[in-house]
Amino acid sequence: GDLLPFPLTAIQQAYWIGRRNLFALGGVATHGYWEVNLGGLDVPRLERALNRVIARHPSLRMIVRPDGQQCVLPHVRHFAVQVMDLTGVSSDDADAAVQKLREEMSHRVLPTDEWPLFEIRATRLPGSVVRLHVGLDLLIADLRSLQLLLQETLRCYADELLTLPLLELTFRDYVRWWQEAIASPRGQKDWAFWKSRDRKS
């Protein structure tokens, strides 16, 4: 049952519709992009940690079907961190290459019916520095979720034998619970109360 399609939340639906060219100012993804410099980063080790986290969290394997339902893919291909090596080029050429990649990734509108809805790339810079480039569609995670995913990835990177507990609840569980709660008599009563408060303000 956990892999069956389920509805988008209201905010996800707004993000999904807004990325289409149906409205003025549409055609833009709700997309986050970050860069961080990490000295001595072991990219293959990071890649292994990331794949453990992807396997653990259904939302990292989520896509949105053309009918507007989201679904979790039971299995996905190994996620590979693409690496660009700029250690042997001039600083000007390195800056230009990083800027080009930044422009591409920071304005990306990823297709929602294809996995993954995130990008992670690495650039090797002079001085044993690795710059990590992370792009993520906020359809699959909010800020708190990102913090948790980062914490887990760092823990898996630090300890490759770490055993993480099984997840007791998934995002699908939450969405289904919310649908049932809002459709219940108590939910309808609460909804009517807050709607009346809204009209008075």
Side-chain angles (χ1 to χ4, degrees), residues 45 49 52 152-164:
R45 186 181 180 113
R52 289 187 63 194
E152 282 197 11
T153 302
L154 292 175
R155 289 177 64 198
C156 290
Y157 178 87
D159 182 358
E160 294 199 277
L161 299 178
L162 177 69
T163 300
L164 295 168

Side-chain angles (χ1 to χ4, degrees), residues 106-136:
S106 62
H107 295 86
R108 191 86 77 199
V109 180
L110 295 166
T112 57
D113 58 350
E114 296 177 17
W115 184 85
L117 285 174
F118 57 88
E119 288 184 285
I120 301 173
R121 299 191 183 192
T123 301
R124 297 191 186 280
L125 300 169
S128 300
V129 172
V130 175
R131 178 169 296 175
L132 213 56
H133 309 259
V134 180
L136 180 138

